[in-house]
Amino acid sequence: MIKKNTVGSGLLLLLIAGVVGYGIGFGLDALVSGNTPRLAASVPSAFALLFAVSAFFFGLYGYRGITRGLTWQVVGTLAGALLVTGLRLLMGLKGNDILEAKFFFSEPAWVFGGLVGVISFLAGVGVMDDWTKWALGIDTPDHHEDAPGWEKYFGVSVDHKVIGIQYTITALVLISVGGLFALIFRTELAQSGLQFLSPDPTKFNVFNQSGPQMYNSLMSLHGMIMIVSILLGISGIINYVVPLLVGAHDMAFPRMNAFAFWVAVPAAVLLLMSMVLGGFDTGWTGYPPLSARAPVGVQFFFLGVFTAGWSSILGSLNVIATVLRMRAKGMTAMRMPIFVWAAIATSIIALTATQLIGLSFQLVMFQRLLGMGFFDPLKGGNPVLFQHLFWFYSHPAVYVFVLPGLGVISELLPVFVRKPLFGYRWIAMSSLGIALVGFVVWAHHMFASGMNEYLRVPFMYSTMLVAVPTGVKFFSWVATIWGGKIETPTPMLFVLGGIIVFLIGGISGPPNAMVALDLHLTDTYWVVGHFHDTIFGGFVFPFFAAIYYWFPKATGRRMNEFWGKIHFWLMTPSFFTLTFGMMYVGLRGMRRRIADYDPALGIDTAHLVMTISAFLIALSVLIFFINFIRSIKHGEEAKGNVWNSRSPEWQVPSPMPAHNYEVPFEVVGEPYDYGLADSKYVEFSAASGKKH
Amino acid sequence: MTQHNHDNSSMLSQGIYIFVYLAVLTALEFGIAISFDATILLVVIALVKAVLVVYYYMHIYQLNAEHEGDEDSYEYKSGTNRIGLWLFLISDTFVFGGLMAMRLNLLGLSHPNLNQFLGLIVTTVLLVSSFFMNRGEALMHAGDRKGFITNTIVTFVLGLGFLIGVVFVEWPNAMREGITPSSGVAGAAFYMMTGMHAFHVLTGLIFLLVVLRNARRGLYDEKQYPVEAVAVYWHFVDVVWIFFYPALYLIGSIAK
């Protein structure tokens, strides 16, 4: 367990390094820019941030693993940026004086530095060590044994369970960061007019941004940080659970699995750096031409998303290969746990479509760096092209977010109603159906964009078509619950909450899909309300359900039921108030992404209520965090089959041993035949060793 | 490992036949493009070429191969690795597909005014390199390490020639003609597409070097999957060029 003195020394070093870093940055900023030094200027803040975080991990963990990675990232970023700066000097290129005075380096230098920083992080953290050895012809052992205790979570481990937990914790950290950003701008929205995010630079100037600029940066980053956090969250569940469900000893490519996690860490650093480097005011979509003119922060945003995309792509590649090749004996396609189907469906999208957001952002990066005119009408480019490329990923991406969540709902429901899952095949196929239909609906985001008009109606119909496989899922859930012996421990509460919230998200969807209505609803808060309902119902509720459900498997202890229920009963009504409020103000004329609104709209009270609800949600999540951390050490012991599940991972004691099942199992029945006498899903015997 | 392992001479001669087909199709493609406007025909030829490479050089059917032995055997793991590699190639295809969509949206049925002679030369060089890669792989599977090394060195040299031809000959040449990254969408599409492809060629060359070095030390005499992987990746880079070459040099009229 983490000793108090290591945490203490970490925090102490965090403070010292923060001050030292700030001093260095402050001096450099004053020296280079020649401006009157400002306390909240970008460069000192950036240095303080990087130094402080690295120092914290140094105190906690020593100079290895994540500490070494972060240090190398800082050094790599500076080295890359200095190299480009030097080359530019030699070539006699003149930089943008204003930009460099504000942000120390020119834009190409920052971009190249950021890229070198990511690669340096990966080299520093040591996730490519084995591959380097293989390239040099040195053999490495197939498995690396992790030391027991907490330290393995801060360095490279190839155990899928460790990586799953690393993903989940990182996702939770990012959820808090993104949520914090939301709270800040939600507070500003509580009342019409601009209160603390003041447009006057003498009153508000943080990271070289005035109040409304800061609002834009916070709003944009809230979007993208939450998206990355969701991607990491689903990877967390999938990584931890899928190999256990299919009876594999690990993922198909354990080293790539580690790589996929660790590449997300420098990506998160880049995203946060974008805030310091002037932020960006484009929203999470980064549409040109606005993103072609935004401050240099937008480049870090692009680079961060591009890097995080690799985590998603390689992770999903691994999932597909694992499920194709490493299933237990007797586990035919129609006897796989239903969550595995969801993982496959989500991975198909993430594997392929993610490349398109990476490409669209790369094209804007190059447009900014080299003047390539992809989206510049003056050079014959087409801004609408960006939207097509962008939404080709970013619409299916919402199915990447919700499919695993819906899989968790289908997986957990039968356990808590003690009844077979209704229509297994239909649910399995509906996941694939959503994934495939999801590829042909993207342009419904663009009804108002000025794209070719003949595209509108086909995309309207294809969008409505998504409701069919989704409806299949709802039908099956209701039929599963019908007549069951319902138990409501915390995970089940979140499952039921997820179903209801997702239902509301689903019902508020078709109005947006209708071209005639969408032209009025587009870019209003109605859409924001709809989106938050789908993502809370499809991801956040099931994610919490999964954490409460599989927590005993990972730790051998249960999370506190009482506080779990408080979490649920506080979060759910607050969340409904918030999103119904969003839809209400949207219909009353509130625009999305705008820091202020007209008091004449009469929505001040609604906004105040929404802000209070947002803080209540934050409080409930805080309760969750405290419960989570406390339960790791002090939770009630739960080493057996806590939920009385048929699933293979619960048939062995918790926590799971390092190489999973010591005795392999064979699938001998249907996975969800709860309540049927004498039926078994799996049978453990040494003889069921896998032969192919 | 595979069925034609046993029949080495037929695999070598098959490689030659396929290469002849590909060469004839490329010549046909070029001939059609400079004589008349037949985009659909060019698309069909590119598809046929791609299918030939994917089937006969990349051996996509091996994905279906059954493997004896348990999950820890090298054979079985190679099968898993093969699936992983192909999944990666599918993913990568979406990058190039996106670039192609960008090019079609921005340029439609027109192409930048490039040096046709140079284009044909680099295309030929890459195609010939694919032939030698295939030959090297076939020899390696037959146990002829020396033959593999010789052919892979030829592949490497040709690949390097392609890279130099595009980046250090074709690019400066186009720039002299006034096609620069910032001159307009034709230039932007040209540099982005060839640049992304050249990046893949560069990584392929690095993989070739790694495999060459380890093959010389006898690391792949038994465990041959890395040889197959580098060959498949190299052919994939060739398949991309099979589509990019007509898209950038041949189809439609010359863009302003």
Side-chain angles (χ1 to χ4, degrees):
Chain A
M1 283 285 113
I2 300 180
K3 288 197 195 80
K4 284 224 169 65
N5 55 2
T6 48
V7 179
S9 61
L11 288 173
L12 184 69
L13 277 167
L14 178 130
L15 271 177
I16 297 172
V19 174
V20 172
Y22 191 85
I24 294 173
F26 194 79
L28 280 174
D29 189 48
L31 198 73
V32 174
S33 68
N35 292 345
T36 10
R38 288 154 319 209
L39 281 176
S42 298
V43 175
S45 321
F47 273 88
L49 199 76
L50 288 169
F51 272 60
V53 174
S54 313
F56 172 68
F57 282 111
F58 180 73
L60 190 68
Y61 185 62
Y63 182 68
R64 62 208 163 109
I66 188 171
T67 318
R68 201 159 66 130
L70 288 170
T71 315
W72 282 39
Q73 187 176 10
V74 175
V75 174
T77 309
L78 289 175
L82 284 171
L83 178 74
V84 173
T85 309
L87 283 176
R88 285 172 67 87
L89 278 176
L90 283 178
M91 289 163 73
L93 286 172
K94 210 171 140 42
N96 180 337
D97 288 339
I98 305 167
L99 185 88
E100 280 169 54
K102 255 187 178 172
F103 302 122
F104 201 61
F105 287 124
S106 62
E107 184 166 326
W110 271 121
V111 173
F112 188 73
L115 201 60
V116 175
V118 171
I119 298 165
S120 310
F121 178 95
L122 293 169
V125 80
V127 74
M128 301 190 291
D129 287 1
D130 276 9
W131 291 336
T132 320
K133 281 182 189 157
W134 295 355
L136 295 173
I138 304 164
D139 231 6
T140 61
D142 250 12
H143 301 289
H144 297 270
E145 298 299 330
D146 292 317
W150 59 273
E151 294 195 341
K152 57 176 177 277
Y153 295 104
F154 291 94
V156 174
S157 166
V158 293
D159 181 350
H160 75 96
K161 295 184 291 302
V162 175
I163 295 171
I165 290 168
Q166 288 173 328
Y167 265 125
T168 308
I169 302 291
T170 317
L172 288 171
V173 170
L174 285 182
I175 270 191
S176 354
V177 175
L180 199 67
F181 287 176
L183 284 184
I184 298 174
F185 65 75
R186 191 65 249 173
T187 309
E188 174 56 55
L189 286 171
Q191 211 186 327
S192 54
L194 288 170
Q195 284 79 36
F196 69 97
L197 291 179
S198 158
D200 181 356
T202 54
K203 280 192 185 141
F204 185 96
N205 186 0
V206 177
F207 305 148
N208 281 322
Q209 296 170 60
S210 70
Q213 264 180 313
M214 185 50 99
Y215 178 94
N216 289 345
S217 302
L218 286 168
M219 170 272 294
S220 309
L221 265 182
H222 166 71
M224 197 41 94
I225 286 195
M226 282 306 195
I227 286 168
V228 172
S229 138
I230 292 171
L231 290 172
L232 298 184
I234 61 167
S235 293
I237 308 175
I238 290 177
N239 249 293
Y240 194 88
V241 172
V242 165
L244 296 183
L245 290 179
V246 302
H249 56 82
D250 205 323
M251 296 288 265
F253 309 113
R255 287 162 193 83
M256 199 165 76
N257 201 21
F259 183 88
F261 166 70
W262 283 106
V263 80
V265 178
V269 174
L270 287 182
L271 281 178
L272 292 175
M273 286 270 290
S274 75
M275 171 64 91
V276 181
L277 293 173
F280 57 105
D281 40 16
T282 62
W284 73 278
T285 53
Y287 279 5
L290 189 55
S291 61
R293 294 172 196 161
V296 69
V298 78
Q299 291 279 30
F300 270 64
F301 160 73
F302 287 149
L303 211 54
V305 175
F306 178 76
T307 313
W310 278 106
S311 163
S312 208
I313 292 167
L314 297 175
S316 51
L317 191 163
N318 222 335
V319 173
I320 298 177
T322 307
V323 176
L324 284 180
R325 301 288 288 180
M326 301 180 77
R327 295 196 307 277
K329 199 176 169 188
M331 189 178 280
T332 55
M334 287 303 156
R335 280 182 168 181
M336 291 196 300
I338 200 74
F339 179 73
V340 177
W341 272 109
I344 284 286
T346 213
S347 299
I348 290 173
I349 308 174
L351 175 73
T352 53
T354 310
Q355 297 282 11
L356 271 293
I357 194 177
L359 180 67
S360 59
F361 282 2
Q362 264 182 79
L363 294 180
V364 187
M365 282 173 74
F366 282 111
Q367 174 167 340
R368 288 177 62 111
L369 289 176
L370 302 174
M372 296 168 105
F374 305 108
F375 310 120
D376 182 357
L378 284 177
K379 290 180 176 166
N382 178 8
V384 177
L385 170 66
F386 174 88
Q387 300 184 21
H388 279 297
L389 294 174
F390 174 82
W391 287 113
F392 187 82
Y393 167 72
S394 298
H395 189 77
V398 302
Y399 302 124
V400 173
F401 305 159
V402 302
L403 280 172
L406 305 184
V408 167
I409 294 179
S410 300
E411 179 77 37
L412 266 50
L413 255 190
V415 181
F416 293 113
V417 301
R418 313 306 304 165
K419 251 187 79 195
L421 180 66
F422 188 89
Y424 172 96
R425 279 163 191 264
W426 285 87
I427 297 211
M429 289 305 117
S430 73
S431 291
L432 282 186
I434 293 176
L436 298 180
V437 178
F439 274 102
V440 291
V441 301
W442 77 89
H444 66 221
H445 292 270
M446 301 163 57
F447 287 152
S449 71
M451 70 168 177
N452 297 340
E453 267 182 40
Y454 63 83
L455 288 174
R456 284 176 174 178
V457 172
F459 275 105
M460 174 174 99
Y461 279 110
S462 62
T463 304
M464 303 298 274
L465 203 60
V466 179
V468 177
T470 319
V472 167
K473 283 192 189 295
F474 274 103
F475 186 76
S476 145
W477 293 334
V478 173
T480 306
I481 297 172
W482 190 270
K485 288 185 222 158
I486 304 173
E487 302 157 8
T488 50
T490 315
M492 180 60 169
L493 285 179
F494 277 95
V495 165
L496 293 174
I499 293 177
I500 294 165
V501 173
F502 192 67
L503 179 68
I504 296 182
I507 290 174
S508 58
N512 308 319
M514 298 291 185
V515 177
L517 271 172
D518 184 66
L519 293 178
H520 301 277
L521 293 174
T522 199
D523 272 352
T524 65
Y525 243 82
W526 163 272
V527 180
V528 180
H530 157 70
F531 180 78
H532 280 83
D533 265 334
T534 55
I535 297 304
F536 261 73
F539 172 75
V540 177
F541 277 81
F543 183 56
F544 282 132
I547 290 178
Y548 282 105
Y549 182 77
W550 276 297
F551 189 87
K553 194 76 247 164
T555 60
R557 290 174 189 277
R558 275 178 83 143
M559 287 179 68
N560 186 301
E561 271 295 305
F562 174 75
W563 288 108
K565 285 185 169 147
I566 296 277
H567 171 200
F568 176 79
W569 287 112
L570 187 58
M571 185 169 100
T572 312
S574 320
F575 176 73
F576 275 125
T577 317
L578 177 67
T579 53
F580 283 137
M582 284 171 172
M583 291 185 202
Y584 167 75
V585 297
L587 293 177
R588 293 293 295 264
M590 174 76 191
R591 310 278 299 158
R592 70 192 286 199
R593 296 181 176 145
I594 306 287
D596 194 10
Y597 47 93
D598 189 347
L601 288 171
I603 51 176
D604 274 56
T605 322
H607 268 295
L608 183 63
V609 172
M610 284 154 69
T611 304
I612 294 169
S613 318
F615 274 94
L616 287 178
I617 296 174
L619 178 65
S620 76
V621 176
L622 189 66
I623 290 173
F624 163 79
F625 273 114
I626 294 170
N627 188 1
F628 185 87
I629 293 166
R630 255 194 74 84
S631 299
I632 295 174
K633 246 182 164 175
H634 305 290
E636 182 194 333
E637 277 212 359
K639 300 212 181 289
N641 190 347
V642 205
W643 315 110
N644 197 10
S645 162
R646 288 163 63 90
S647 199
E649 82 273 22
W650 291 106
Q651 313 308 319
V652 294
S654 310
M656 209 68 191
H659 297 299
N660 299 350
Y661 303 98
E662 270 145 18
V663 182
F665 65 80
E666 184 181 347
V667 173
V668 294
E670 300 299 323
Y672 298 107
D673 280 350
Y674 285 94
L676 266 68
D678 296 332
S679 84
K680 259 174 133 181
Y681 178 39
V682 290
E683 216 164 58
F684 286 84
S685 77
S688 40
K690 279 172 268 179
K691 291 267 183 269
H692 291 267
Chain B
M1 190 184 251
T2 57
Q3 52 266 53
H4 38 241
N5 225 4
H6 313 292
D7 197 357
N8 174 47
S9 63
S10 86
M11 189 176 167
L12 285 177
S13 57
Q14 189 191 55
I16 297 172
Y17 291 139
I18 299 302
F19 173 72
V20 172
Y21 292 146
L22 290 170
V24 170
L25 284 169
T26 309
L28 197 64
E29 191 177 33
F30 184 75
I32 290 170
I34 54 167
S35 354
F36 52 95
D37 189 11
T39 305
I40 293 178
L41 208 54
L42 294 179
V43 172
V44 171
I45 292 178
L47 282 172
V48 172
K49 282 169 73 180
V51 168
L52 286 175
V53 174
V54 169
Y55 194 84
Y56 291 104
Y57 280 180
M58 294 167 81
H59 312 301
I60 190 170
Y61 50 80
Q62 284 191 356
L63 286 173
N64 279 328
E66 293 286 330
H67 304 283
E68 296 298 317
D70 63 71
E71 241 179 39
D72 290 327
S73 69
Y74 186 75
E75 298 280 277
Y76 193 80
K77 280 185 178 169
S78 296
T80 309
N81 288 343
R82 192 173 290 134
I83 286 177
L85 177 61
W86 276 95
L87 287 172
F88 176 77
L89 296 184
I90 290 171
S91 180
D92 219 4
T93 304
F94 275 72
V95 179
F96 293 112
L99 285 169
M100 193 64 109
M102 176 270 287
R103 176 246 175 274
L104 290 173
N105 180 281
L106 294 180
L107 298 182
L109 284 181
S110 67
H111 62 82
N113 188 11
L114 300 162
N115 186 332
Q116 288 292 347
F117 178 68
L118 257 176
L120 189 61
I121 294 283
V122 292
T123 305
T124 313
V125 167
L126 196 63
L127 188 63
V128 176
S129 84
S130 244
F131 167 74
F132 281 102
M133 188 73 248
N134 177 260
R135 204 175 156 76
E137 192 199 353
L139 289 173
M140 191 67 178
H141 288 326
D144 180 359
R145 192 209 297 173
K146 259 201 168 135
F148 168 74
I149 290 171
T150 320
N151 281 285
T152 309
I153 289 174
V154 176
T155 311
F156 181 83
V157 171
L158 289 169
L160 196 63
F162 175 86
L163 191 66
I164 292 169
V166 170
V167 177
F168 296 103
V169 183
E170 177 67 310
W171 282 10
N173 187 55
M175 282 186 199
R176 275 194 300 275
E177 301 284 325
I179 303 171
T180 67
S182 57
S183 65
V185 281
F190 170 69
Y191 287 100
M192 193 69 207
M193 288 169 78
T194 50
M196 183 64 88
H197 182 258
F199 174 72
H200 281 75
V201 174
L202 180 68
T203 52
L205 288 175
I206 294 169
F207 294 145
L208 279 175
L209 276 185
V210 168
V211 170
L212 261 178
R213 179 174 180 275
N214 288 340
R216 282 168 68 104
R217 297 161 64 190
L219 259 70
Y220 303 144
D221 291 354
E222 297 292 320
K223 301 182 169 182
Q224 296 191 334
Y225 180 71
V227 172
E228 179 193 328
V230 76
V232 168
Y233 184 77
W234 190 256
H235 295 309
F236 172 74
V237 174
D238 189 27
V239 170
V240 172
W241 192 251
I242 283 177
F243 291 102
F244 274 21
Y245 170 59
L248 287 172
Y249 287 84
L250 302 180
I251 63 170
S253 53
I254 289 170
K256 276 170 273 169

